[in-house]
Amino acid sequence: MTYENRLFAALADPTRRAIFERVAGQRQSVAELARVMPVSQPAISQHLKVLKEAQLVRDERSGARRIYSIDPEGLGPLRAWLDRFWTEQLAAFKAAVETADDS
Amino acid sequence: MHTIEPAPIRKSVTVRASAEKAFEIFVNGMGSWWIKDHSLTESGQKTVVVEAVAGGRWYEIGNAGEERDWGRVIACDRPNRILFAWQLNADFDFDPALHTEVEVLFEAKSENETTVVLEHRELANYGAKAQDVRGMLDSGWGGLLASYVAQAA
């Protein structure tokens, strides 16, 4: 799966999107998420695993707990969109330069 | 509140051209290579104008003559570097309160080969402007969804 499709799949699920938005608003643990989400803790862990694989969240150990926060290398759809945007633009630029007359 | 510092977007491309020529086409010929779909105009993009001096305008002109600002030129050092203020939000609308930066470096590898390095940074300002992640997520999501649908079609 391409990065983009992984991202798409990760956010296609409404529960997963809700978890992502909570983590984006404030870093928190699985237990903290379980208190406010209408799903079980194992289900939340599974959702977080998918979000992590899509580079939307990252986790760090804090004693016995794992704390989840937005992955600053990820930043999700906006970053993916910009990334693709500039890739396309630079490819178009390269094509224009290399076909330009050497006048 | 835990703030996030998103990493800049970094891209590079090597072109068969002198730095001078690469710079000239990138900056003064932007309208010749810019993908016309990436436009704010109602009548379709005719060209893109970069005033290559500090404080210069960066805008596009539509086929009906309307002008749409994209941002500003912050600094310009021909043919090595140009730094833009990119003020288009995640909905691709001009927002004078939004400040992100696009820096483009032209590194001559030889007389006719140049590596162009582009960095789009200060991306955290998208989040700060949005006040909440939902707006950012939804707008980014819309574009992603559209492209996914296009790919899958």
Side-chain angles (χ1 to χ4, degrees):
Chain A
M1 237 194 321
T2 64
Y3 172 67
E4 207 168 284
N5 289 348
R6 250 206 329 271
L7 205 57
F8 179 85
L11 291 171
D13 182 284
T15 306
R16 210 146 48 220
R17 281 183 71 184
I19 291 172
F20 173 66
E21 287 178 33
R22 286 202 167 266
V23 169
Q26 186 167 12
R27 53 200 309 238
Q28 46 199 309
S29 66
V30 180
E32 285 169 319
L33 284 163
R35 274 200 293 276
V36 293
M37 299 289 302
V39 278
S40 70
Q41 199 157 319
I44 288 174
S45 294
Q46 198 54 41
H47 283 309
L48 285 165
K49 185 167 170 275
V50 176
L51 291 169
K52 193 176 156 184
E53 281 166 1
Q55 291 173 22
L56 285 160
V57 303
R58 62 174 182 179
D59 58 343
E60 51 202 318
R61 250 184 206 299
S62 172
R65 303 187 314 162
R66 283 192 176 282
I67 306 292
Y68 287 85
S69 58
I70 269 197
D71 185 343
E73 291 287 337
L75 198 73
L78 175 72
R79 224 174 160 281
W81 181 82
L82 277 173
D83 199 272
R84 194 180 62 245
F85 175 84
W86 287 119
T87 300
E88 289 170 359
Q89 290 292 159
L90 286 183
F93 165 70
K94 181 178 166 77
V97 170
E98 295 185 349
T99 55
D101 293 335
D102 289 304
S103 51
Chain B
M1 182 71 194
H2 173 67
T3 56
I4 48 162
E5 265 309 321
I9 304 264
R10 287 196 191 89
K11 297 274 155 199
S12 72
V13 66
T14 299
V15 297
R16 286 192 306 275
S18 65
E20 185 68 38
K21 183 180 170 185
F23 182 96
E24 175 62 27
I25 292 177
F26 194 98
V27 174
N28 296 318
M30 193 177 279
S32 72
W33 58 268
W34 193 267
I35 297 168
K36 300 238 180 269
D37 293 352
H38 297 154
S39 173
L40 277 70
T41 56
E42 288 88 33
S43 64
Q45 184 181 97
K46 186 175 172 191
T47 192
V48 182
V49 181
V50 178
E51 295 176 351
V53 290
R57 290 179 68 204
W58 184 24
Y59 62 101
E60 63 174 326
I61 301 174
N63 290 314
E66 75 273 34
E67 294 182 0
R68 291 286 175 271
D69 277 313
W70 286 0
R72 290 269 164 194
V73 175
I74 300 170
C76 183
D77 170 24
R78 182 187 183 100
N80 305 306
R81 173 180 182 257
I82 187 161
L83 177 63
F84 295 99
W86 166 274
Q87 296 173 283
L88 299 180
N89 66 19
D91 296 323
F92 223 74
D93 287 326
F94 179 72
D95 178 354
L98 175 70
H99 181 90
T100 69
E101 291 183 358
V102 175
E103 181 180 51
V104 190
L105 302 174
F106 300 84
E107 298 166 358
K109 294 283 169 228
S110 68
E111 261 179 40
N112 59 4
E113 198 171 44
T114 304
T115 298
V116 179
V117 181
L118 181 145
E119 183 175 277
H120 193 164
R121 58 190 183 226
E122 313 276 333
L123 300 180
N125 291 335
Y126 277 116
K129 279 295 299 165
Q131 292 299 325
D132 65 4
V133 174
R134 179 172 279 284
M136 196 174 76
L137 191 67
D138 285 348
S139 47
W141 179 241
L144 192 67
L145 194 58
S147 90
Y148 178 83
V149 169
Q151 272 178 21

